[in-house]
Amino acid sequence: MRIFHIQSSGAQELDVLPHAPPEQGFFWMACARPAFQAQLFEVQGALQRLTGLQLVDLHVSDLLNGQLPSHYDYTSQYDLLVFRRLATVPSEDSADTAKATHRRGGTPVLRRIDTSPVGFAVFDRVLLTVHPGDCSVRDAYAARLLAPAPMDPREGRANPTASGSRKPTSPADLMLRVVNLMVDGYLDLRRELSRELDHWQTELLKPRARNVNWSSLLEARLSLHALDEICEDQRTAVQDWIDALETWETPQTPAGMRDLDLLKVRSRDVLEHIERVVHHVRRMEQSTETTVQMHFSMQGNRTNDIMRTLTALTAVFLPLNLIAGIFGMNFEFIPLVHKQDGFWWAMGSMITIATLLISVFWRKRYLARTGS
């Protein structure tokens, strides 16, 4: 578990759980899901000391549930947001990963996507977050919080109000920043995923593509559909949070009004980013489906080419078979049968008929291959 005291002037990481509410700023209690389960009694005690209340048992179950979809809930004292992240888990052993890829099939990036939920309990002066075991999002934003403010070249000292270095003003503000970080982390995933899907499309659109791993392709399509559902849940959860913001009591001070407006702006910005992700996931899903249909269309055209060629060749040999059948009849008097040059007349006529038919079919492109 990591505890941070965040103020407008900077952030400080604490070694122990705080025993009293902060005089300025707020606390951020960030812990992994196993640590939260193991230290639940200590966390509930700290929340009791800092806020005067504890988490509801049902919300504790939600925070401990690693399969819960994104959703928003609230009480009269705090808000709860569960948000499923979209991140790639780096492979620890490339050889093992290659073996698993060959054994299970499917797109490697889609199989490495981690959609574990991250829980946020937003109090007035405390933010409690429950992350998956690796806590990559927590550690990334913690490093950003603890980074020193950039130097002001005019004054020769750190400027905590510089753009990009302003600290969160409230637990809700910090929650939205972390959520936005998780959504923006999809951009790297999107590039790698698009690159692999483009490779799959190129392989499918090859004219002589035969050894297509359809089980892997089906797995990729199902994974994209699951991503679409996850993104829809994310958008619904953030939209519910935005609707809840509209019911908050209007602050009486200009600073409070500004903070509330900033929360609304950040919330709409997060929602817009999620909608972009939803649009991209759906576009990739449609692109994969279109590529599959184009693949079958090309295979159908290739089959038509083969059947057309076979039909033309059959049409060429039909009159030849007719001539051979006529001269193969068991009649005593048949023209050319008893002549010395009858065989050559028959062969010449058969060659002439075959040449004429092949020329006609070639001009009509019955024997030509469809360009691909």
Side-chain angles (χ1 to χ4, degrees), residues 1-6 16-18 26-32 36 39 42-47 49-51 119 121 123 126-131 138 174:
M1 179 186 298
R2 301 182 67 178
I3 303 98
F4 303 89
H5 183 200
I6 303 174
V16 295
L17 290 170
F26 61 94
F27 290 124
W28 177 24
M29 302 169 57
C31 57
F36 177 72
Q39 303 178 14
E42 291 82 356
V43 172
Q44 291 281 47
L47 292 177
R49 294 191 301 269
L50 297 175
T51 64
F123 297 85
V126 176
L127 174 65
L128 172 66
T129 59
V130 180
H131 303 260
R138 179 197 67 180
L174 176 58

PDB file of all heavy atoms in Angstrom, residues 1-6 16-18 26-32 36 39 42-47 49-51 119 121 123 126-131 138 174:
ATOM      1  N   MET A   1       0.841  -1.190   0.000  1.00  0.00           N
ATOM      2  CA  MET A   1       0.000   0.000   0.000  1.00  0.00           C
ATOM      3  C   MET A   1       0.879   1.243   0.000  1.00  0.00           C
ATOM      4  O   MET A   1       1.889   1.295   0.695  1.00  0.00           O
ATOM      5  CB  MET A   1      -0.931   0.020   1.214  1.00  0.00           C
ATOM      6  CG  MET A   1      -1.829   1.248   1.283  1.00  0.00           C
ATOM      7  SD  MET A   1      -2.804   1.336   2.798  1.00  0.00           S
ATOM      8  CE  MET A   1      -3.764  -0.145   2.622  1.00  0.00           C
ATOM      9  N   ARG A   2       0.446   2.248  -0.781  1.00  0.00           N
ATOM     10  CA  ARG A   2       1.171   3.520  -0.830  1.00  0.00           C
ATOM     11  C   ARG A   2       0.192   4.637  -0.458  1.00  0.00           C
ATOM     12  O   ARG A   2      -0.944   4.673  -0.940  1.00  0.00           O
ATOM     13  CB  ARG A   2       1.769   3.760  -2.212  1.00  0.00           C
ATOM     14  CG  ARG A   2       2.744   2.670  -2.653  1.00  0.00           C
ATOM     15  CD  ARG A   2       3.347   2.958  -4.009  1.00  0.00           C
ATOM     16  NE  ARG A   2       4.216   4.130  -3.969  1.00  0.00           N
ATOM     17  CZ  ARG A   2       4.912   4.573  -5.034  1.00  0.00           C
ATOM     18  NH1 ARG A   2       4.793   3.933  -6.191  1.00  0.00           N
ATOM     19  NH2 ARG A   2       5.682   5.638  -4.936  1.00  0.00           N
ATOM     20  N   ILE A   3       0.663   5.537   0.419  1.00  0.00           N
ATOM     21  CA  ILE A   3      -0.162   6.644   0.897  1.00  0.00           C
ATOM     22  C   ILE A   3       0.518   7.944   0.503  1.00  0.00           C
ATOM     23  O   ILE A   3       1.737   8.118   0.710  1.00  0.00           O
ATOM     24  CB  ILE A   3      -0.373   6.585   2.424  1.00  0.00           C
ATOM     25  CG1 ILE A   3      -1.008   5.244   2.823  1.00  0.00           C
ATOM     26  CG2 ILE A   3      -1.250   7.734   2.877  1.00  0.00           C
ATOM     27  CD1 ILE A   3      -0.022   4.220   3.317  1.00  0.00           C
ATOM     28  N   PHE A   4      -0.252   8.885  -0.037  1.00  0.00           N
ATOM     29  CA  PHE A   4       0.270  10.165  -0.484  1.00  0.00           C
ATOM     30  C   PHE A   4      -0.548  11.292   0.138  1.00  0.00           C
ATOM     31  O   PHE A   4      -1.773  11.191   0.256  1.00  0.00           O
ATOM     32  CB  PHE A   4       0.214  10.282  -2.015  1.00  0.00           C
ATOM     33  CG  PHE A   4       0.943   9.195  -2.742  1.00  0.00           C
ATOM     34  CD1 PHE A   4       0.288   8.021  -3.082  1.00  0.00           C
ATOM     35  CD2 PHE A   4       2.274   9.337  -3.085  1.00  0.00           C
ATOM     36  CE1 PHE A   4       0.945   7.017  -3.756  1.00  0.00           C
ATOM     37  CE2 PHE A   4       2.947   8.325  -3.763  1.00  0.00           C
ATOM     38  CZ  PHE A   4       2.279   7.164  -4.096  1.00  0.00           C
ATOM     39  N   HIS A   5       0.165  12.342   0.525  1.00  0.00           N
ATOM     40  CA  HIS A   5      -0.474  13.587   0.967  1.00  0.00           C
ATOM     41  C   HIS A   5      -0.274  14.607  -0.139  1.00  0.00           C
ATOM     42  O   HIS A   5       0.854  15.006  -0.431  1.00  0.00           O
ATOM     43  CB  HIS A   5       0.145  14.080   2.278  1.00  0.00           C
ATOM     44  CG  HIS A   5      -0.522  15.309   2.791  1.00  0.00           C
ATOM     45  ND1 HIS A   5       0.063  16.159   3.698  1.00  0.00           N
ATOM     46  CD2 HIS A   5      -1.753  15.858   2.534  1.00  0.00           C
ATOM     47  CE1 HIS A   5      -0.741  17.155   3.984  1.00  0.00           C
ATOM     48  NE2 HIS A   5      -1.858  16.982   3.287  1.00  0.00           N
ATOM     49  N   ILE A   6      -1.371  15.002  -0.766  1.00  0.00           N
ATOM     50  CA  ILE A   6      -1.307  15.860  -1.944  1.00  0.00           C
ATOM     51  C   ILE A   6      -1.829  17.237  -1.584  1.00  0.00           C
ATOM     52  O   ILE A   6      -2.934  17.383  -1.051  1.00  0.00           O
ATOM     53  CB  ILE A   6      -2.131  15.257  -3.094  1.00  0.00           C
ATOM     54  CG1 ILE A   6      -1.622  13.849  -3.407  1.00  0.00           C
ATOM     55  CG2 ILE A   6      -2.059  16.137  -4.337  1.00  0.00           C
ATOM     56  CD1 ILE A   6      -2.462  13.119  -4.428  1.00  0.00           C
ATOM     57  N   VAL A  16       3.262   5.542   6.867  1.00  0.00           N
ATOM     58  CA  VAL A  16       2.241   4.871   7.671  1.00  0.00           C
ATOM     59  C   VAL A  16       0.882   5.491   7.354  1.00  0.00           C
ATOM     60  O   VAL A  16       0.786   6.577   6.771  1.00  0.00           O
ATOM     61  CB  VAL A  16       2.545   4.998   9.184  1.00  0.00           C
ATOM     62  CG1 VAL A  16       3.835   4.266   9.519  1.00  0.00           C
ATOM     63  CG2 VAL A  16       2.640   6.470   9.592  1.00  0.00           C
ATOM     64  N   LEU A  17      -0.151   4.789   7.745  1.00  0.00           N
ATOM     65  CA  LEU A  17      -1.496   5.308   7.577  1.00  0.00           C
ATOM     66  C   LEU A  17      -1.696   6.543   8.445  1.00  0.00           C
ATOM     67  O   LEU A  17      -1.293   6.560   9.603  1.00  0.00           O
ATOM     68  CB  LEU A  17      -2.526   4.243   7.940  1.00  0.00           C
ATOM     69  CG  LEU A  17      -2.650   3.052   6.979  1.00  0.00           C
ATOM     70  CD1 LEU A  17      -3.535   1.967   7.586  1.00  0.00           C
ATOM     71  CD2 LEU A  17      -3.238   3.517   5.645  1.00  0.00           C
ATOM     72  N   PRO A  18      -2.289   7.604   7.922  1.00  0.00           N
ATOM     73  CA  PRO A  18      -2.517   8.819   8.720  1.00  0.00           C
ATOM     74  C   PRO A  18      -3.555   8.577   9.812  1.00  0.00           C
ATOM     75  O   PRO A  18      -4.430   7.721   9.689  1.00  0.00           O
ATOM     76  CB  PRO A  18      -2.998   9.833   7.689  1.00  0.00           C
ATOM     77  CG  PRO A  18      -3.593   9.010   6.585  1.00  0.00           C
ATOM     78  CD  PRO A  18      -2.785   7.747   6.536  1.00  0.00           C
ATOM     79  N   PHE A  26      -5.395  16.654   0.547  1.00  0.00           N
ATOM     80  CA  PHE A  26      -6.125  15.410   0.806  1.00  0.00           C
ATOM     81  C   PHE A  26      -5.149  14.240   0.743  1.00  0.00           C
ATOM     82  O   PHE A  26      -3.991  14.389   0.322  1.00  0.00           O
ATOM     83  CB  PHE A  26      -7.256  15.226  -0.214  1.00  0.00           C
ATOM     84  CG  PHE A  26      -6.789  15.129  -1.646  1.00  0.00           C
ATOM     85  CD1 PHE A  26      -6.559  13.898  -2.244  1.00  0.00           C
ATOM     86  CD2 PHE A  26      -6.563  16.276  -2.400  1.00  0.00           C
ATOM     87  CE1 PHE A  26      -6.127  13.797  -3.548  1.00  0.00           C
ATOM     88  CE2 PHE A  26      -6.123  16.186  -3.715  1.00  0.00           C
ATOM     89  CZ  PHE A  26      -5.912  14.952  -4.292  1.00  0.00           C
ATOM     90  N   PHE A  27      -5.638  13.064   1.150  1.00  0.00           N
ATOM     91  CA  PHE A  27      -4.832  11.850   1.145  1.00  0.00           C
ATOM     92  C   PHE A  27      -5.263  10.948  -0.021  1.00  0.00           C
ATOM     93  O   PHE A  27      -6.443  10.873  -0.362  1.00  0.00           O
ATOM     94  CB  PHE A  27      -4.990  11.070   2.460  1.00  0.00           C
ATOM     95  CG  PHE A  27      -4.355  11.748   3.641  1.00  0.00           C
ATOM     96  CD1 PHE A  27      -5.102  12.055   4.774  1.00  0.00           C
ATOM     97  CD2 PHE A  27      -3.017  12.083   3.630  1.00  0.00           C
ATOM     98  CE1 PHE A  27      -4.533  12.670   5.859  1.00  0.00           C
ATOM     99  CE2 PHE A  27      -2.416  12.694   4.712  1.00  0.00           C
ATOM    100  CZ  PHE A  27      -3.176  12.999   5.834  1.00  0.00           C
ATOM    101  N   TRP A  28      -4.264  10.279  -0.555  1.00  0.00           N
ATOM    102  CA  TRP A  28      -4.521   9.245  -1.561  1.00  0.00           C
ATOM    103  C   TRP A  28      -3.982   7.928  -1.032  1.00  0.00           C
ATOM    104  O   TRP A  28      -2.781   7.765  -0.833  1.00  0.00           O
ATOM    105  CB  TRP A  28      -3.851   9.600  -2.883  1.00  0.00           C
ATOM    106  CG  TRP A  28      -4.017   8.526  -3.946  1.00  0.00           C
ATOM    107  CD1 TRP A  28      -4.994   7.590  -4.018  1.00  0.00           C
ATOM    108  CD2 TRP A  28      -3.159   8.298  -5.081  1.00  0.00           C
ATOM    109  NE1 TRP A  28      -4.827   6.781  -5.114  1.00  0.00           N
ATOM    110  CE2 TRP A  28      -3.709   7.184  -5.800  1.00  0.00           C
ATOM    111  CE3 TRP A  28      -2.023   8.922  -5.573  1.00  0.00           C
ATOM    112  CZ2 TRP A  28      -3.128   6.700  -6.945  1.00  0.00           C
ATOM    113  CZ3 TRP A  28      -1.442   8.426  -6.731  1.00  0.00           C
ATOM    114  CH2 TRP A  28      -1.982   7.327  -7.404  1.00  0.00           C
ATOM    115  N   MET A  29      -4.883   6.973  -0.796  1.00  0.00           N
ATOM    116  CA  MET A  29      -4.519   5.641  -0.330  1.00  0.00           C
ATOM    117  C   MET A  29      -4.664   4.686  -1.505  1.00  0.00           C
ATOM    118  O   MET A  29      -5.789   4.368  -1.918  1.00  0.00           O
ATOM    119  CB  MET A  29      -5.408   5.219   0.842  1.00  0.00           C
ATOM    120  CG  MET A  29      -5.342   6.174   2.033  1.00  0.00           C
ATOM    121  SD  MET A  29      -6.647   5.844   3.275  1.00  0.00           S
ATOM    122  CE  MET A  29      -6.318   4.124   3.651  1.00  0.00           C
ATOM    123  N   ALA A  30      -3.534   4.247  -2.045  1.00  0.00           N
ATOM    124  CA  ALA A  30      -3.515   3.388  -3.226  1.00  0.00           C
ATOM    125  C   ALA A  30      -2.921   2.038  -2.849  1.00  0.00           C
ATOM    126  O   ALA A  30      -1.813   1.966  -2.319  1.00  0.00           O
ATOM    127  CB  ALA A  30      -2.700   4.032  -4.351  1.00  0.00           C
ATOM    128  N   CYS A  31      -3.653   0.980  -3.134  1.00  0.00           N
ATOM    129  CA  CYS A  31      -3.168  -0.343  -2.760  1.00  0.00           C
ATOM    130  C   CYS A  31      -3.584  -1.368  -3.802  1.00  0.00           C
ATOM    131  O   CYS A  31      -4.559  -1.169  -4.541  1.00  0.00           O
ATOM    132  CB  CYS A  31      -3.691  -0.748  -1.383  1.00  0.00           C
ATOM    133  SG  CYS A  31      -5.485  -0.734  -1.221  1.00  0.00           S
ATOM    134  N   ALA A  32      -2.815  -2.422  -3.856  1.00  0.00           N
ATOM    135  CA  ALA A  32      -3.155  -3.537  -4.731  1.00  0.00           C
ATOM    136  C   ALA A  32      -4.322  -4.318  -4.128  1.00  0.00           C
ATOM    137  O   ALA A  32      -4.569  -4.261  -2.920  1.00  0.00           O
ATOM    138  CB  ALA A  32      -1.944  -4.438  -4.933  1.00  0.00           C
ATOM    139  N   PHE A  36      -5.212  -4.892  -0.262  1.00  0.00           N
ATOM    140  CA  PHE A  36      -6.461  -4.354   0.279  1.00  0.00           C
ATOM    141  C   PHE A  36      -7.237  -5.435   1.022  1.00  0.00           C
ATOM    142  O   PHE A  36      -7.803  -5.182   2.092  1.00  0.00           O
ATOM    143  CB  PHE A  36      -7.299  -3.774  -0.859  1.00  0.00           C
ATOM    144  CG  PHE A  36      -8.645  -3.256  -0.436  1.00  0.00           C
ATOM    145  CD1 PHE A  36      -8.758  -2.091   0.303  1.00  0.00           C
ATOM    146  CD2 PHE A  36      -9.799  -3.946  -0.769  1.00  0.00           C
ATOM    147  CE1 PHE A  36     -10.007  -1.613   0.703  1.00  0.00           C
ATOM    148  CE2 PHE A  36     -11.037  -3.481  -0.381  1.00  0.00           C
ATOM    149  CZ  PHE A  36     -11.140  -2.307   0.356  1.00  0.00           C
ATOM    150  N   GLN A  39      -5.315  -6.157   4.328  1.00  0.00           N
ATOM    151  CA  GLN A  39      -5.290  -5.063   5.300  1.00  0.00           C
ATOM    152  C   GLN A  39      -6.633  -4.338   5.363  1.00  0.00           C
ATOM    153  O   GLN A  39      -6.679  -3.142   5.638  1.00  0.00           O
ATOM    154  CB  GLN A  39      -4.178  -4.068   4.942  1.00  0.00           C
ATOM    155  CG  GLN A  39      -2.808  -4.703   4.852  1.00  0.00           C
ATOM    156  CD  GLN A  39      -1.735  -3.704   4.452  1.00  0.00           C
ATOM    157  OE1 GLN A  39      -1.935  -2.493   4.486  1.00  0.00           O
ATOM    158  NE2 GLN A  39      -0.581  -4.206   4.060  1.00  0.00           N
ATOM    159  N   GLU A  42      -7.327  -2.552   8.704  1.00  0.00           N
ATOM    160  CA  GLU A  42      -6.560  -1.317   8.899  1.00  0.00           C
ATOM    161  C   GLU A  42      -7.076  -0.202   7.996  1.00  0.00           C
ATOM    162  O   GLU A  42      -7.146   0.966   8.420  1.00  0.00           O
ATOM    163  CB  GLU A  42      -5.081  -1.565   8.621  1.00  0.00           C
ATOM    164  CG  GLU A  42      -4.378  -2.450   9.638  1.00  0.00           C
ATOM    165  CD  GLU A  42      -4.619  -3.930   9.377  1.00  0.00           C
ATOM    166  OE1 GLU A  42      -5.398  -4.251   8.445  1.00  0.00           O
ATOM    167  OE2 GLU A  42      -4.040  -4.757  10.101  1.00  0.00           O
ATOM    168  N   VAL A  43      -7.456  -0.542   6.760  1.00  0.00           N
ATOM    169  CA  VAL A  43      -7.962   0.485   5.842  1.00  0.00           C
ATOM    170  C   VAL A  43      -9.287   1.049   6.338  1.00  0.00           C
ATOM    171  O   VAL A  43      -9.500   2.279   6.340  1.00  0.00           O
ATOM    172  CB  VAL A  43      -8.108  -0.107   4.427  1.00  0.00           C
ATOM    173  CG1 VAL A  43      -8.809   0.881   3.505  1.00  0.00           C
ATOM    174  CG2 VAL A  43      -6.751  -0.478   3.856  1.00  0.00           C
ATOM    175  N   GLN A  44     -10.181   0.183   6.795  1.00  0.00           N
ATOM    176  CA  GLN A  44     -11.458   0.658   7.321  1.00  0.00           C
ATOM    177  C   GLN A  44     -11.248   1.521   8.559  1.00  0.00           C
ATOM    178  O   GLN A  44     -11.931   2.547   8.746  1.00  0.00           O
ATOM    179  CB  GLN A  44     -12.360  -0.542   7.659  1.00  0.00           C
ATOM    180  CG  GLN A  44     -12.870  -1.320   6.447  1.00  0.00           C
ATOM    181  CD  GLN A  44     -14.031  -0.643   5.752  1.00  0.00           C
ATOM    182  OE1 GLN A  44     -14.000   0.556   5.480  1.00  0.00           O
ATOM    183  NE2 GLN A  44     -15.069  -1.411   5.451  1.00  0.00           N
ATOM    184  N   GLY A  45     -10.282   1.147   9.404  1.00  0.00           N
ATOM    185  CA  GLY A  45      -9.984   1.972  10.573  1.00  0.00           C
ATOM    186  C   GLY A  45      -9.441   3.330  10.178  1.00  0.00           C
ATOM    187  O   GLY A  45      -9.805   4.354  10.780  1.00  0.00           O
ATOM    188  N   ALA A  46      -8.569   3.369   9.175  1.00  0.00           N
ATOM    189  CA  ALA A  46      -8.037   4.658   8.721  1.00  0.00           C
ATOM    190  C   ALA A  46      -9.135   5.531   8.133  1.00  0.00           C
ATOM    191  O   ALA A  46      -9.175   6.744   8.377  1.00  0.00           O
ATOM    192  CB  ALA A  46      -6.928   4.416   7.698  1.00  0.00           C
ATOM    193  N   LEU A  47     -10.035   4.944   7.355  1.00  0.00           N
ATOM    194  CA  LEU A  47     -11.148   5.721   6.809  1.00  0.00           C
ATOM    195  C   LEU A  47     -12.056   6.252   7.919  1.00  0.00           C
ATOM    196  O   LEU A  47     -12.562   7.382   7.830  1.00  0.00           O
ATOM    197  CB  LEU A  47     -11.960   4.855   5.840  1.00  0.00           C
ATOM    198  CG  LEU A  47     -11.265   4.459   4.529  1.00  0.00           C
ATOM    199  CD1 LEU A  47     -12.161   3.535   3.711  1.00  0.00           C
ATOM    200  CD2 LEU A  47     -10.922   5.702   3.712  1.00  0.00           C
ATOM    201  N   ARG A  49     -11.092   7.102  10.913  1.00  0.00           N
ATOM    202  CA  ARG A  49     -10.402   8.225  11.556  1.00  0.00           C
ATOM    203  C   ARG A  49     -10.381   9.463  10.664  1.00  0.00           C
ATOM    204  O   ARG A  49     -10.489  10.591  11.161  1.00  0.00           O
ATOM    205  CB  ARG A  49      -8.964   7.826  11.911  1.00  0.00           C
ATOM    206  CG  ARG A  49      -8.848   6.736  12.978  1.00  0.00           C
ATOM    207  CD  ARG A  49      -7.414   6.582  13.455  1.00  0.00           C
ATOM    208  NE  ARG A  49      -6.509   6.240  12.364  1.00  0.00           N
ATOM    209  CZ  ARG A  49      -6.209   5.008  11.994  1.00  0.00           C
ATOM    210  NH1 ARG A  49      -6.784   3.973  12.612  1.00  0.00           N
ATOM    211  NH2 ARG A  49      -5.367   4.779  11.007  1.00  0.00           N
ATOM    212  N   LEU A  50     -10.243   9.263   9.372  1.00  0.00           N
ATOM    213  CA  LEU A  50     -10.068  10.397   8.467  1.00  0.00           C
ATOM    214  C   LEU A  50     -11.389  11.002   8.005  1.00  0.00           C
ATOM    215  O   LEU A  50     -11.470  12.212   7.790  1.00  0.00           O
ATOM    216  CB  LEU A  50      -9.268   9.951   7.237  1.00  0.00           C
ATOM    217  CG  LEU A  50      -7.838   9.476   7.495  1.00  0.00           C
ATOM    218  CD1 LEU A  50      -7.211   8.958   6.215  1.00  0.00           C
ATOM    219  CD2 LEU A  50      -6.985  10.584   8.088  1.00  0.00           C
ATOM    220  N   THR A  51     -12.418  10.170   7.830  1.00  0.00           N
ATOM    221  CA  THR A  51     -13.679  10.663   7.274  1.00  0.00           C
ATOM    222  C   THR A  51     -14.866  10.470   8.201  1.00  0.00           C
ATOM    223  O   THR A  51     -15.942  11.015   7.917  1.00  0.00           O
ATOM    224  CB  THR A  51     -13.978   9.950   5.941  1.00  0.00           C
ATOM    225  OG1 THR A  51     -14.176   8.551   6.187  1.00  0.00           O
ATOM    226  CG2 THR A  51     -12.806  10.110   4.968  1.00  0.00           C
ATOM    227  N   GLY A 119     -10.693   0.166  -8.773  1.00  0.00           N
ATOM    228  CA  GLY A 119     -11.773   0.754  -7.985  1.00  0.00           C
ATOM    229  C   GLY A 119     -11.368   2.082  -7.368  1.00  0.00           C
ATOM    230  O   GLY A 119     -10.236   2.247  -6.900  1.00  0.00           O
ATOM    231  N   ALA A 121     -12.822   4.890  -4.519  1.00  0.00           N
ATOM    232  CA  ALA A 121     -13.762   5.357  -3.493  1.00  0.00           C
ATOM    233  C   ALA A 121     -13.414   6.814  -3.194  1.00  0.00           C
ATOM    234  O   ALA A 121     -12.345   7.105  -2.636  1.00  0.00           O
ATOM    235  CB  ALA A 121     -13.668   4.497  -2.240  1.00  0.00           C
ATOM    236  N   PHE A 123     -13.942  10.179  -1.321  1.00  0.00           N
ATOM    237  CA  PHE A 123     -14.450  10.904  -0.158  1.00  0.00           C
ATOM    238  C   PHE A 123     -14.119  12.391  -0.323  1.00  0.00           C
ATOM    239  O   PHE A 123     -13.503  12.800  -1.311  1.00  0.00           O
ATOM    240  CB  PHE A 123     -13.819  10.353   1.127  1.00  0.00           C
ATOM    241  CG  PHE A 123     -14.158   8.917   1.410  1.00  0.00           C
ATOM    242  CD1 PHE A 123     -13.418   7.883   0.841  1.00  0.00           C
ATOM    243  CD2 PHE A 123     -15.219   8.587   2.237  1.00  0.00           C
ATOM    244  CE1 PHE A 123     -13.725   6.560   1.111  1.00  0.00           C
ATOM    245  CE2 PHE A 123     -15.530   7.258   2.504  1.00  0.00           C
ATOM    246  CZ  PHE A 123     -14.782   6.250   1.932  1.00  0.00           C
ATOM    247  N   VAL A 126     -10.314  12.212   1.080  1.00  0.00           N
ATOM    248  CA  VAL A 126      -9.564  10.969   0.903  1.00  0.00           C
ATOM    249  C   VAL A 126      -9.993  10.309  -0.404  1.00  0.00           C
ATOM    250  O   VAL A 126     -11.175  10.281  -0.739  1.00  0.00           O
ATOM    251  CB  VAL A 126      -9.782   9.989   2.081  1.00  0.00           C
ATOM    252  CG1 VAL A 126      -9.067   8.667   1.816  1.00  0.00           C
ATOM    253  CG2 VAL A 126      -9.309  10.592   3.389  1.00  0.00           C
ATOM    254  N   LEU A 127      -9.001   9.778  -1.122  1.00  0.00           N
ATOM    255  CA  LEU A 127      -9.266   8.940  -2.285  1.00  0.00           C
ATOM    256  C   LEU A 127      -8.641   7.579  -2.030  1.00  0.00           C
ATOM    257  O   LEU A 127      -7.434   7.467  -1.811  1.00  0.00           O
ATOM    258  CB  LEU A 127      -8.675   9.544  -3.557  1.00  0.00           C
ATOM    259  CG  LEU A 127      -8.773   8.654  -4.808  1.00  0.00           C
ATOM    260  CD1 LEU A 127     -10.234   8.441  -5.207  1.00  0.00           C
ATOM    261  CD2 LEU A 127      -7.991   9.239  -5.975  1.00  0.00           C
ATOM    262  N   LEU A 128      -9.472   6.543  -2.062  1.00  0.00           N
ATOM    263  CA  LEU A 128      -9.004   5.175  -1.915  1.00  0.00           C
ATOM    264  C   LEU A 128      -9.108   4.484  -3.268  1.00  0.00           C
ATOM    265  O   LEU A 128     -10.175   4.459  -3.875  1.00  0.00           O
ATOM    266  CB  LEU A 128      -9.850   4.417  -0.881  1.00  0.00           C
ATOM    267  CG  LEU A 128      -9.592   2.909  -0.776  1.00  0.00           C
ATOM    268  CD1 LEU A 128      -8.182   2.639  -0.258  1.00  0.00           C
ATOM    269  CD2 LEU A 128     -10.637   2.245   0.112  1.00  0.00           C
ATOM    270  N   THR A 129      -7.991   3.950  -3.742  1.00  0.00           N
ATOM    271  CA  THR A 129      -7.974   3.236  -5.018  1.00  0.00           C
ATOM    272  C   THR A 129      -7.483   1.816  -4.791  1.00  0.00           C
ATOM    273  O   THR A 129      -6.553   1.580  -4.016  1.00  0.00           O
ATOM    274  CB  THR A 129      -7.065   3.942  -6.042  1.00  0.00           C
ATOM    275  OG1 THR A 129      -5.732   4.021  -5.527  1.00  0.00           O
ATOM    276  CG2 THR A 129      -7.576   5.339  -6.347  1.00  0.00           C
ATOM    277  N   VAL A 130      -8.116   0.889  -5.481  1.00  0.00           N
ATOM    278  CA  VAL A 130      -7.757  -0.527  -5.397  1.00  0.00           C
ATOM    279  C   VAL A 130      -7.402  -0.987  -6.810  1.00  0.00           C
ATOM    280  O   VAL A 130      -8.239  -0.946  -7.709  1.00  0.00           O
ATOM    281  CB  VAL A 130      -8.908  -1.370  -4.827  1.00  0.00           C
ATOM    282  CG1 VAL A 130      -8.507  -2.836  -4.760  1.00  0.00           C
ATOM    283  CG2 VAL A 130      -9.306  -0.863  -3.450  1.00  0.00           C
ATOM    284  N   HIS A 131      -6.146  -1.380  -6.989  1.00  0.00           N
ATOM    285  CA  HIS A 131      -5.595  -1.713  -8.299  1.00  0.00           C
ATOM    286  C   HIS A 131      -5.344  -3.213  -8.414  1.00  0.00           C
ATOM    287  O   HIS A 131      -5.314  -3.924  -7.406  1.00  0.00           O
ATOM    288  CB  HIS A 131      -4.285  -0.954  -8.531  1.00  0.00           C
ATOM    289  CG  HIS A 131      -4.410   0.526  -8.411  1.00  0.00           C
ATOM    290  ND1 HIS A 131      -4.521   1.358  -9.490  1.00  0.00           N
ATOM    291  CD2 HIS A 131      -4.434   1.333  -7.308  1.00  0.00           C
ATOM    292  CE1 HIS A 131      -4.607   2.616  -9.078  1.00  0.00           C
ATOM    293  NE2 HIS A 131      -4.562   2.626  -7.764  1.00  0.00           N
ATOM    294  N   ARG A 138      -1.038   2.950 -10.899  1.00  0.00           N
ATOM    295  CA  ARG A 138      -0.736   3.667  -9.661  1.00  0.00           C
ATOM    296  C   ARG A 138       0.715   4.135  -9.646  1.00  0.00           C
ATOM    297  O   ARG A 138       1.001   5.301  -9.333  1.00  0.00           O
ATOM    298  CB  ARG A 138      -0.989   2.766  -8.457  1.00  0.00           C
ATOM    299  CG  ARG A 138      -0.672   3.404  -7.109  1.00  0.00           C
ATOM    300  CD  ARG A 138      -0.531   2.373  -6.012  1.00  0.00           C
ATOM    301  NE  ARG A 138       0.653   1.527  -6.233  1.00  0.00           N
ATOM    302  CZ  ARG A 138       1.016   0.537  -5.420  1.00  0.00           C
ATOM    303  NH1 ARG A 138       0.273   0.247  -4.372  1.00  0.00           N
ATOM    304  NH2 ARG A 138       2.091  -0.173  -5.684  1.00  0.00           N
ATOM    305  N   LEU A 174      -8.239  13.934  -8.779  1.00  0.00           N
ATOM    306  CA  LEU A 174      -7.212  12.901  -8.911  1.00  0.00           C
ATOM    307  C   LEU A 174      -7.785  11.650  -9.570  1.00  0.00           C
ATOM    308  O   LEU A 174      -7.130  11.027 -10.420  1.00  0.00           O
ATOM    309  CB  LEU A 174      -6.634  12.568  -7.533  1.00  0.00           C
ATOM    310  CG  LEU A 174      -5.617  11.425  -7.488  1.00  0.00           C
ATOM    311  CD1 LEU A 174      -4.430  11.711  -8.397  1.00  0.00           C
ATOM    312  CD2 LEU A 174      -5.148  11.189  -6.063  1.00  0.00           C
TER     313      LEU A 174
END
